Amino acid sequence: PPEDMSKPTIFDKIISGDIPANVLFEDDQCMAFSDVNPQAPTHFLVIPKRRISQLSKAEEDDKALLGHLMYTAQAVAREQGIADDGFRVVINDGPNGCQSVYHIHLHVIGGKQLSWPPG
Ligand code: 5GP
């Protein structure tokens, strides 16, 4: 299955530094880095260092970490200068949600007027 926890994802290599990323923020629990294929002038990802494969697999013990990711998303959005005009936070989950990397990540997208609803 795509969420096979025995297989590392590309994000493990970003966490370990084996592949480069434009890191915007890092602490002991999480990292924020620019998306390699940006969908807006500002598009970065916030990921936990401890892997959760997808939102729908989150457990009770993950609640504090999920909160930390959400808090970090807005803190980095403010640092990046997109918060005054507003921005979007998205988690794609599973096949219908178009998730492609099975290491949970918040997309933070802004820097222009976005449209809604998505396709
Ligand atoms: P998903 O579709 O799983 O929600 O989004 C995965 C995101 O990861 C995509 O927006 C894609 O551009 C981004 N991504 C995939 N591989 C890499 C990579 O090696 N480096 C960076 N910075 N972003 C990546």
Side-chain angles (χ1 to χ4, degrees), residues 10-11 14 19-22 33-39 43 45 91-93 97-102 105 107:
I10 192 89
F11 292 170
I14 289 176
I19 70 163
N22 181 35
F33 54 88
S34 302
D35 196 293
V36 77
N37 183 24
Q39 301 302 312
H43 183 177
L45 305 174
I91 299 174
N92 294 326
D93 184 274
C98 297
Q99 184 173 3
S100 62
V101 179
Y102 280 78
H105 48 283
H107 292 262

Side-chain angles (χ1 to χ4, degrees), residues 4-74:
D4 185 352
M5 291 297 279
S6 67
K7 286 194 193 137
T9 75
I10 192 89
F11 292 170
D12 287 300
K13 295 194 174 125
I14 289 176
I15 293 165
S16 64
D18 289 337
I19 70 163
N22 181 35
V23 178
L24 305 174
F25 176 83
E26 180 172 7
D27 66 12
D28 58 324
Q29 296 176 72
C30 73
M31 271 180 91
F33 54 88
S34 302
D35 196 293
V36 77
N37 183 24
Q39 301 302 312
T42 297
H43 183 177
F44 62 87
L45 305 174
V46 183
I47 69 170
K49 291 185 172 175
R50 173 170 68 77
R51 183 176 169 201
I52 300 168
S53 62
Q54 62 191 107
L55 184 60
S56 56
K57 304 278 196 225
E59 297 177 0
E60 181 96 34
D61 283 352
D62 298 326
K63 284 165 89 172
L65 181 55
L66 292 170
H68 186 70
L69 298 178
M70 186 77 84
Y71 182 83
T72 299
Q74 65 78 37

